[in-house]
Amino acid sequence: MRGLVFAGFLLLVAGHLVQAATHVYPDLLIGHGIDTPTATRAMLALPAAGYFLLIVGAGMLSGAARRSETYETASSAIPAVMHRITNLELIYRLLMESSMGATFVLRRTQAGKDGPSAVQLMAGNRAFHEVVALGATRERRGRAVDQQDPDGISWWIEETARKALATKVPVRSERAFTTQGHTRWYLLSVTGSGSYVAGSLVETTQKRRESSEREATANTDPLTKLSNRRHLTTFIDTEAHRASHGVSRGFAVYFFDFDGFKQINDTLGHHVGDELLKQIAARLRESFRHSNLADSIGRPCIARYGGDEYVIVVPGLTQRNEVERLAEHFLGRLRASYTIFEHSVVSTASIGGAVCTGGGVAGHEVLTAADKAMYEAKQSGKDRFQLSDNTAGREELAA
C-alpha cells in the first residue's frame, strides 16, 4: 500500500518533468527521438496515473489504519471482558458456597435411543454433594442425578425437577430419608426455566423436632404429662365429627373426680397433692393395659381436665355393657391406697359416663353429659359410676 503511494508520487513527478521539458527544451526531446505528440501524451498520462495510484494507496492506507485501530481496541477490550467473566464466575461460586443449605443447577437432556430424557447435574455447591454424595463438581458435572444416591434423594430431586420443567412454576416438596439409621427430613425447592432447573435442598430435621416438641408442650399437661384440656377438646370434636358422618361407630366419655382430694391437698400439703395427681395419671394409663378391650376399640385420649378432674375418651366403645365393665375396672384400680412419701392416702373416684353414636351431636355436649353424670355419682355416695341417660346419638345405646 505504501508502495502504490510512492509509485504514484514518482509518476506524478515524471509527468511534471515531461511537461517542463516540453516547454523549456523542445528540441531536446526531438533530439532523443521523442516527438511532440508523444511528449504531450506522456505529459497527460503520467500525472493521471500518478494521481490514481496516490488515491488508491491513500484509501488502502486509511482502511488499514481503521482495521488496525479496531484490532487494537478489541485487543484492549478482551482483557476487560475476560476479567468481567472471571468476576461473574467468582460471584456465582461465592453465592453457591455461601447459600444456606445445598444449591444446584440441573439441565434437561434430549431423549435418546436408550430411553427418555434425563436431568443432568451442571453445578452444585459443597453442601449439595455432601447430601447426595455426588463427589466433586468437576468430576460429576454432566452425569445423570438419578444414578448417584442409593437412598433415593437423587431420584426425588430428578422427579421434582421434571415437574418444575413441565409445570413452569416453582415446586416445593418435603420428605424424610433414613441414612445410617437416622431419619432426616429435607425441604426441596426448585424453579425451572427452559431446559435448566435451579434449586436448593435444606435439612429440616431439627425444625421438625422443635415443632413437634412445641406441639407436644402445647397439648400436654406439665404435671401429669397427660393430654391437657386443649388437646382433649380437639380430640373429642374430631371423634364427634367422625361419628356424625358415619366414619366411626361412636365413642364413650368418662369424667373422673377424685373423692377427698381437697382434704389431702390441704392437710398434707400441695407437694403430696401433686404427687397424688401424678400417681392417679399413672394408674389411668395402666388401666388400659389390663382392661381386655376389644380389638375394634381405638386408642384412647387420657387427659387432665383441671384440678383433680380427669377425662378419658375411648373411640369405638358404644355398647352399654362394655362401657359399664370398663368403668368398674377403673373403680377397682383406683380404690387401692397410694403411698406418697411417708403417707398412705386413699382417694376413690366418682365417674360419670356418656356415649355418642353420631346424629350431629357436638363434642362439648357429650362432655357436658358425662360431667353431669359424674356429679350424680358423687351425690349418690361416691366411688361409683353413673352413665348419662341423656346420651344423644343416631341410635339408642345397645345393652
Side-chain angles (χ1 to χ4, degrees), residues 206-282:
Q206 183 63 29
K207 183 178 179 180
R208 276 184 163 266
R209 184 181 296 114
E210 292 174 354
S211 178
S212 299
E213 291 175 354
R214 287 195 299 269
E215 184 177 356
T217 301
N219 294 323
T220 303
D221 176 62
L223 179 64
T224 62
K225 306 307 179 184
L226 298 177
S227 297
N228 58 15
R229 183 182 296 196
R230 175 179 179 270
H231 183 250
L232 171 69
T233 301
T234 302
F235 187 89
I236 199 171
D237 286 342
T238 301
E239 290 302 319
H241 179 80
R242 286 166 49 85
S244 296
H245 288 79
V247 180
S248 68
R249 293 183 302 168
F251 59 96
V253 176
Y254 295 91
F255 204 114
F256 296 75
D257 183 88
F258 287 84
D259 308 321
F261 176 80
K262 186 177 183 306
Q263 182 180 2
I264 295 171
N265 202 37
D266 292 342
T267 58
L268 300 179
H270 291 285
H271 65 292
V272 175
D274 289 346
E275 183 62 26
L276 175 58
L277 293 175
K278 293 179 184 179
Q279 293 194 23
I280 289 173

Side-chain angles (χ1 to χ4, degrees), residues 190-206:
V190 296
T191 302
S193 179
S195 297
Y196 293 89
V197 172
S200 63
L201 189 65
V202 180
E203 184 174 354
T204 58
T205 306
Q206 183 63 29

Side-chain angles (χ1 to χ4, degrees), residues 25-330:
Y25 304 105
D27 297 334
L28 180 63
L29 295 176
I30 295 173
H32 286 78
I34 302 174
D35 56 3
T36 300
T38 302
T40 302
R41 287 194 294 270
M43 180 184 64
L44 296 175
L46 290 176
Y51 280 119
F52 175 77
L53 292 178
L54 283 174
I55 293 172
V56 172
M60 295 180 68
L61 285 175
S62 176
R66 287 195 299 270
R67 287 193 296 273
S68 176
E69 181 180 359
T70 302
Y71 175 77
E72 292 178 359
T73 303
S75 299
S76 62
I78 287 175
V81 172
M82 295 301 296
H83 180 69
R84 182 175 300 177
I85 293 174
T86 303
N87 284 345
L88 288 175
E89 183 177 3
L90 177 61
I91 292 172
Y92 162 75
R93 291 185 179 278
L94 288 175
L95 287 174
M96 290 281 285
E97 293 300 333
S98 62
S99 299
M100 295 296 292
T103 55
F104 56 89
V105 177
L106 307 177
R107 180 174 65 88
R108 178 175 57 189
T109 60
Q110 298 297 326
K113 298 180 180 180
D114 298 333
S117 61
V119 178
Q120 295 181 336
L121 176 67
M122 301 304 297
N125 65 357
R126 186 179 306 169
F128 175 77
H129 295 300
E130 290 177 354
V131 172
V132 297
L134 292 178
T137 304
R138 293 181 180 274
E139 296 175 1
R140 299 294 183 174
R141 182 175 297 171
R143 294 184 61 177
V145 175
D146 61 351
Q147 298 176 359
Q148 310 303 326
D149 185 67
D151 294 324
I153 295 180
S154 296
W155 177 87
W156 174 46
I157 293 174
E158 181 183 7
E159 290 301 306
T160 308
R162 290 177 185 272
K163 184 176 180 180
L165 289 171
T167 60
K168 298 180 180 180
V169 296
V171 179
R172 291 167 63 92
S173 177
E174 190 171 16
R175 285 185 57 182
F177 294 91
T178 302
T179 57
Q180 299 179 350
H182 299 284
T183 300
R184 300 180 182 274
W185 283 88
Y186 292 96
L187 176 63
L188 175 63
S189 302
V190 296
T191 302
S193 179
S195 297
Y196 293 89
V197 172
S200 63
L201 189 65
V202 180
E203 184 174 354
T204 58
T205 306
Q206 183 63 29
K207 183 178 179 180
R208 276 184 163 266
R209 184 181 296 114
E210 292 174 354
S211 178
S212 299
E213 291 175 354
R214 287 195 299 269
E215 184 177 356
T217 301
N219 294 323
T220 303
D221 176 62
L223 179 64
T224 62
K225 306 307 179 184
L226 298 177
S227 297
N228 58 15
R229 183 182 296 196
R230 175 179 179 270
H231 183 250
L232 171 69
T233 301
T234 302
F235 187 89
I236 199 171
D237 286 342
T238 301
E239 290 302 319
H241 179 80
R242 286 166 49 85
S244 296
H245 288 79
V247 180
S248 68
R249 293 183 302 168
F251 59 96
V253 176
Y254 295 91
F255 204 114
F256 296 75
D257 183 88
F258 287 84
D259 308 321
F261 176 80
K262 186 177 183 306
Q263 182 180 2
I264 295 171
N265 202 37
D266 292 342
T267 58
L268 300 179
H270 291 285
H271 65 292
V272 175
D274 289 346
E275 183 62 26
L276 175 58
L277 293 175
K278 293 179 184 179
Q279 293 194 23
I280 289 173
R283 287 194 185 185
L284 291 177
R285 291 194 195 94
E286 290 291 330
S287 296
F288 282 97
R289 298 181 184 179
H290 308 283
S291 59
N292 297 322
L293 292 172
D295 294 336
S296 59
I297 304 303
R299 183 176 181 180
C301 173
I302 309 174
R304 183 186 176 200
Y305 194 70
D308 62 329
E309 294 179 333
Y310 293 76
V311 175
I312 296 179
V313 182
V314 187
L317 185 64
T318 58
Q319 300 294 320
R320 178 184 291 272
N321 61 340
E322 292 182 349
V323 172
E324 293 177 343
R325 182 168 59 85
L326 181 58
E328 291 297 327
H329 176 70
F330 288 144

Side-chain angles (χ1 to χ4, degrees), residues 23 59 61 90 173 192 203 206 308 315 338 342 355 378 380 395:
H23 288 286
L61 285 175
L90 177 61
S173 177
E203 184 174 354
Q206 183 63 29
D308 62 329
Y338 301 86
E342 70 277 11
V355 176
K378 187 174 284 289
S380 300
E395 59 187 33

Side-chain angles (χ1 to χ4, degrees), residues 319-383:
Q319 300 294 320
R320 178 184 291 272
N321 61 340
E322 292 182 349
V323 172
E324 293 177 343
R325 182 168 59 85
L326 181 58
E328 291 297 327
H329 176 70
F330 288 144
L331 290 171
R333 295 190 64 85
L334 296 172
R335 288 190 183 110
S337 62
Y338 301 86
T339 301
I340 302 176
F341 307 123
E342 70 277 11
H343 306 286
S344 178
V345 298
V346 176
S347 180
T348 58
S350 298
I351 308 174
V355 176
C356 174
T357 56
V361 179
H364 69 87
E365 295 177 319
V366 186
L367 186 62
T368 300
D371 187 14
K372 291 181 179 179
M374 181 271 294
Y375 278 105
E376 292 177 8
K378 187 174 284 289
Q379 292 173 358
S380 300
K382 303 178 182 179
D383 189 21

